[in-house]
Amino acid sequence: MMSESEEHGSLLEKIGDKIGDKIHEFKKDSSSSSSDDDDDKKSHKSKKKHLFGRKHPLHNVLGGGKAADLVMWRDKQKSGSILGGVTVIWLLFEGIGYHLLTFLCHLLIIFLTVSFVWSNAASFINRSPPKFPEVILSETQCMIIAHVLRKEINEAFITLQSVASGKDLKTYLKSIGILWFISIIGGCFSFLTLSYTIFLMAYTLPMLYEKYEDEVDVVGEKALIELKKQYAVFDEKVLSKIPMLADKKQH
């Protein structure tokens, strides 16, 4: 009887070992297949085309510094406070009718009064007086700013001369179209409201784009393809019939 029970036990152990090996192989295959799927997803995501041919994350495109952190709302408290402050200033000017010079003078009056009272009362309340940082522009910084401004102004003058010279009709038509569109927008809003709207879009759209990046890329790619088709039709029916442009295409 003992021999039969031992044989029966060894048989059960063999069956259990085989089942365990099968389960281990199944887990190994499933984990490898899942890792392969993850790799495929990552490679597909990396190969995915972004809007305007962007190859790097949007945060890096914006510079990757503190300004990019604010625009991308990495610190929601700081970004929200800046947006709230700009909104309050816009409401003061646009809603209440505050004037810029009056606002700046009142702001300086409040700052100077608080600083003056604090500096004189610090000795009575055993507090240290306020410390003001020294803001001094070095000659190097002024030269860098002047160099950048000079470069941008010269490029603007070169562009204006190129458009006004009559050599490139296509650039001329684009410039006229853009200026006409800006004039229409400027007629619908005041300069302050337009500036606030541009700030609001530049401050919120990158964050929203990062949140809905895949959907926006798909829609944007379709829109760009459609715009290229419409431009090709316009080029064929209108621009190609203009003698100046037709001669340039032949050359």
Side-chain angles (χ1 to χ4, degrees):
M1 295 292 292
M2 290 293 293
S3 61
E4 291 180 359
S5 62
E6 288 177 356
E7 290 178 359
H8 183 68
S10 63
L11 182 61
L12 289 176
E13 288 178 0
K14 290 180 180 179
I15 295 173
D17 292 338
K18 288 182 179 180
I19 293 174
D21 294 337
K22 293 292 184 181
I23 293 173
H24 181 69
E25 290 177 0
F26 177 76
K27 287 182 177 180
K28 188 176 180 181
D29 294 336
S30 62
S31 62
S32 63
S33 62
S34 63
S35 63
D36 292 338
D37 292 338
D38 293 337
D39 293 337
D40 292 339
K41 288 179 180 179
K42 289 180 180 178
S43 62
H44 178 70
K45 192 172 182 180
S46 61
K47 292 179 180 178
K48 181 180 173 295
K49 290 184 179 180
H50 295 288
L51 198 61
F52 303 116
R54 179 173 55 84
K55 296 181 180 179
H56 301 285
L58 186 59
H59 187 266
N60 294 342
V61 174
L62 294 175
K66 293 182 179 180
D69 292 339
L70 289 174
V71 174
M72 300 302 296
W73 290 67
R74 294 291 188 260
D75 190 342
K76 293 183 179 180
Q77 187 174 0
K78 284 185 179 180
S79 300
S81 61
I82 291 174
L83 180 59
V86 174
T87 303
V88 169
I89 293 173
W90 173 73
L91 288 174
L92 284 174
F93 288 117
E94 194 68 22
I96 303 176
Y98 224 41
H99 297 287
L100 179 61
L101 185 60
T102 306
F103 173 75
L104 292 176
C105 290
H106 287 175
L107 195 65
L108 284 173
I109 288 171
I110 294 171
F111 172 74
L112 292 174
T113 302
V114 171
S115 301
F116 181 82
V117 173
W118 187 0
S119 299
N120 286 277
S123 58
F124 297 101
I125 59 176
N126 295 325
R127 293 284 184 90
S128 60
K131 296 181 179 179
F132 303 103
E134 292 186 2
V135 181
I136 300 175
L137 289 176
S138 64
E139 185 177 356
T140 304
Q141 291 175 334
C142 293
M143 292 296 293
I144 292 173
I145 295 172
H147 178 72
V148 172
L149 288 176
R150 183 181 65 84
K151 182 180 178 181
E152 295 297 328
I153 292 172
N154 287 336
E155 288 183 356
F157 279 128
I158 291 171
T159 303
L160 287 174
Q161 290 175 0
S162 175
V163 173
S165 62
K167 296 179 180 179
D168 193 347
L169 181 60
K170 190 175 290 187
T171 304
Y172 166 77
L173 293 176
K174 287 181 181 178
S175 302
I176 295 299
I178 292 172
L179 291 173
W180 177 71
F181 177 75
I182 293 174
S183 67
I184 293 176
I185 298 297
C188 298
F189 305 97
S190 65
F191 179 75
L192 185 63
T193 301
L194 183 61
S195 300
Y196 175 74
T197 304
I198 294 172
F199 168 79
L200 190 64
M201 293 174 63
Y203 203 68
T204 56
L205 287 181
M207 179 266 295
L208 294 174
Y209 171 71
E210 187 183 42
K211 189 175 181 180
Y212 304 101
E213 182 176 356
D214 295 335
E215 293 84 353
V216 174
D217 284 341
V218 173
V219 176
E221 187 177 359
K222 291 180 180 179
L224 288 175
I225 293 173
E226 186 64 27
L227 284 174
K228 289 179 180 179
K229 288 181 180 179
Q230 296 297 329
Y231 180 77
V233 173
F234 178 75
D235 189 13
E236 183 181 356
K237 292 183 178 181
V238 179
L239 297 180
S240 61
K241 295 180 180 180
I242 299 175
M244 293 175 62
L245 296 178
D247 292 340
K248 283 187 178 182
K249 285 185 178 181
Q250 289 178 359
H251 291 301

